[in-house]
Amino acid sequence: MIRASFLKKSTWLAVALAALLLAAGPGWAETLKVSQPNQQLYPDPDFSSTPLAPVPVGAEVTVQRQAGDWYKVDFQGKIGWIHRLAFPQAKAPSRFSLPSLLTGGAVKETTSDEVALAGKGFTPEVEAGYRQKHPEANFAMVDKVESFKVDEAQLKTFIQEGGLKP
Amino acid sequence: MKRGNQWVVAALLTALALTAGGCATGMELIPVATIAAKGVTKAAAASRPISDSEEYYVGRAVGARILAQQSLRQDPELTRYVNEVGQAVARKSARPQTFRGYHFAVLETSETNALACPGGLIFITRGLLQTCETEDELAAVLAHEVAHVANKDGINSISQARWTEVLTAMGTEAAKQYGGVAGSLVSLFEGSIDDVFKTIVVNGYSRTAEEAADAAAVQTLKQAGYDPGAVASLLDKMMAKEKGASGGMFKTHPPTGERLSKVKALVGEAPAAGKEVAARTSRFKKIKI
């Protein structure tokens, strides 16, 4: 009796786990909506690669995988990379996904040693160290310059009024 | 039956262990200590280009060093206008986006110059703004500077030897204090800022880099709908002004007859000035410089 009830419990647990994995596995094909203007689809996860196409605000892209701050996506049949800045609502990159690991699905590729070290070169911490050594460096003014932004509607009007190409 | 139970229990325990591992580390699949230890050799062996975010931090520090010596022009209307022209050309350049975008500012000096920090911080002096007679010429200056950012002319001034040292230091520091502020990285960062600063402020770019930026500016102006001939007309003005001048742009972006003739060959037939050009010139004239 004891054995039979144990089997029942274990079987139920195994079934529940299998159901969880099946549900979680295919769910990775996530769709994200671009909410920031001036976004581009890149052939490589690198801003200096020549963009493949612009991706307008409101466009929906299907995420195939993620590498650090970049998403490999399908946008209207074009495959390329979009930076996380395009989707401020998206979560910070995770290096570990249980469903992906267990199902052999799209494992996020930030697990190699080189990639782990890739973000550890010149970082905000290094900038903080530099600021301590160089109190004369005017980072406050740099922050001010970085706050100079032109919103999309304003730029559109400026382009239109000046007879420039949209 | 017994064997079956063991299998089920083993499978559950494995799944639980994996789950617990994920929860405990939160993000990391490989234990930090393992990465740090391996980092010593891996980073030394690794060779990777500078990333977009690293380029951004170098650019910020170079900008902070420039702004320690020069003050910003505090005029919201002028700043907005320069940023509008800058964004209009940047979006049509070979590198429409950078890690934190392009930002343009005016330096309060009569010196004639423009400077592009890696990552997209771009400065134009009041003196150079006064040299420009049209919006299209201002667009030519900004497109030329955007091209230096796109071509990574500033960031490429960091010597290969220093960058190799950065990669090595990353491994060493990771072994000592993973995630902490690494003293040697700060020194290497400092050295990298010096390399870039010397190029963009003191010595200037190579002639090849200047000509490539001119060619890119012509292309960008065409794409944006500005008159590509503005690059040539600006160089003309610079050459006329050069007589007796030595510092600033004349040193870092020397205008030469050779540059001018190459630009003129690229521009070809400039379009006739239309109503739109007049509209742009009119809004340019309204801006108080």
Side-chain angles (χ1 to χ4, degrees):
Chain A
M1 285 296 274
I2 293 167
R3 272 189 185 177
S5 100
F6 175 76
L7 175 63
K8 239 181 199 175
K9 273 184 193 165
S10 347
T11 311
W12 274 113
L13 276 168
V15 169
L17 181 67
L20 179 77
L21 294 179
L22 283 171
W28 169 243
E30 195 181 350
T31 301
L32 288 175
K33 197 179 243 186
V34 172
S35 63
Q36 293 299 302
N38 296 324
Q39 300 305 315
Q40 307 281 339
L41 188 70
Y42 289 91
D44 300 302
D46 178 1
F47 281 127
S48 56
S49 59
T50 307
L52 297 170
V55 186
V57 171
E60 289 195 339
V61 297
T62 310
V63 178
Q64 293 188 337
R65 65 193 172 102
Q66 188 183 351
D69 282 334
W70 290 86
Y71 291 85
K72 188 170 190 185
V73 301
D74 180 331
F75 169 57
Q76 297 177 345
K78 284 184 191 145
I79 308 294
W81 295 84
I82 294 191
H83 194 271
R84 189 161 64 92
L85 294 170
F87 328 102
Q89 74 277 17
K91 284 178 190 165
S94 160
R95 290 180 185 160
F96 180 70
S97 156
L98 176 66
S100 306
L101 187 73
L102 294 179
T103 58
V107 176
K108 297 171 185 182
E109 57 168 37
T110 44
T111 52
S112 83
D113 297 358
E114 276 185 31
V115 176
L117 285 167
K120 306 288 176 194
F122 295 156
T123 57
E125 289 78 20
V126 173
E127 181 186 292
Y130 178 83
R131 288 166 85 141
Q132 272 189 344
K133 280 175 90 173
H134 295 273
E136 78 288 357
N138 199 343
F139 280 91
M141 275 297 145
V142 170
D143 291 340
K144 185 168 183 180
V145 174
E146 283 187 2
S147 74
F148 298 156
K149 285 182 181 130
V150 181
D151 75 53
E152 193 63 4
Q154 186 188 340
L155 186 61
K156 201 174 166 187
T157 309
F158 182 83
I159 286 168
Q160 212 167 10
E161 286 175 358
L164 300 171
K165 290 183 188 166
Chain B
M1 284 295 241
K2 198 175 179 183
R3 201 171 281 175
N5 284 346
Q6 279 172 345
W7 183 87
V8 171
V9 170
L12 285 170
L13 285 174
T14 309
L16 282 169
L18 282 166
T19 316
C23 294
T25 55
M27 295 287 175
E28 303 286 345
L29 181 60
I30 300 171
V32 165
T34 313
I35 298 172
K38 282 184 182 175
V40 180
T41 48
K42 273 282 184 181
S47 171
R48 65 165 176 85
I50 196 158
S51 70
D52 291 317
S53 64
E54 286 166 327
E55 181 189 5
Y56 164 75
Y57 287 109
V58 169
R60 270 175 62 81
V62 171
R65 198 165 152 181
I66 292 169
L67 292 170
Q69 298 169 352
Q70 306 268 3
S71 54
L72 275 187
R73 178 74 182 258
Q74 306 284 349
D75 179 343
E77 205 183 333
L78 175 65
T79 303
R80 194 189 67 220
Y81 177 70
V82 169
N83 274 276
E84 283 169 338
V85 177
Q87 296 299 343
V89 291
R91 65 200 281 276
K92 296 289 184 180
S93 73
R95 193 180 177 191
Q97 273 187 310
T98 61
F99 184 64
R100 289 283 187 269
Y102 290 92
H103 304 278
F104 304 83
V106 180
L107 297 178
E108 183 56 84
T109 166
S110 57
E111 193 178 88
T112 307
N113 209 353
L115 305 157
C117 302
L121 280 181
I122 293 176
F123 300 112
I124 178 168
T125 64
R126 177 172 50 79
L128 182 53
L129 261 173
Q130 284 167 338
T131 307
C132 298
E133 285 177 1
T134 62
E135 180 175 308
D136 292 45
E137 286 180 356
L138 168 60
V141 172
L142 300 182
H144 178 99
E145 297 305 319
V146 164
H148 281 309
V149 175
N151 297 342
K152 301 195 170 184
D153 293 330
I155 207 77
N156 285 340
S157 328
I158 300 175
S159 77
Q160 186 55 50
R162 196 186 306 279
W163 185 242
T164 305
E165 249 187 280
V166 171
L167 295 171
T168 311
M170 275 161 56
T172 315
E173 293 297 338
K176 280 189 213 155
Q177 45 171 117
Y178 190 82
V181 179
S184 62
L185 273 177
V186 172
S187 299
L188 289 162
F189 184 69
E190 207 173 14
S192 304
I193 307 312
D194 284 346
D195 289 344
V196 177
F197 186 84
K198 270 182 202 152
T199 297
I200 72 170
V201 181
V202 185
N203 300 328
Y205 302 102
S206 69
R207 200 176 62 186
T208 317
E210 280 303 297
E211 288 176 2
D214 285 341
V218 167
Q219 187 60 25
T220 302
L221 292 189
K222 279 184 189 170
Q223 296 285 340
Y226 279 112
D227 171 16
V231 180
S233 64
L234 186 79
L235 274 173
D236 251 338
K237 286 192 181 83
M238 299 289 300
M239 284 175 69
K241 220 176 170 182
E242 191 183 10
K243 289 162 192 161
S246 57
M249 196 168 200
F250 304 103
K251 198 169 179 189
T252 58
H253 307 257
T256 61
E258 199 183 337
R259 263 180 79 186
L260 182 61
S261 55
K262 282 190 177 167
V263 165
K264 280 185 174 164
L266 281 171
V267 172
E269 284 295 306
K275 263 195 300 187
E276 295 87 357
V277 178
R280 296 198 292 266
T281 303
S282 151
R283 68 184 177 191
F284 178 84
K285 301 280 183 206
K286 280 183 196 158
I287 295 294
K288 286 180 193 160
I289 301 167

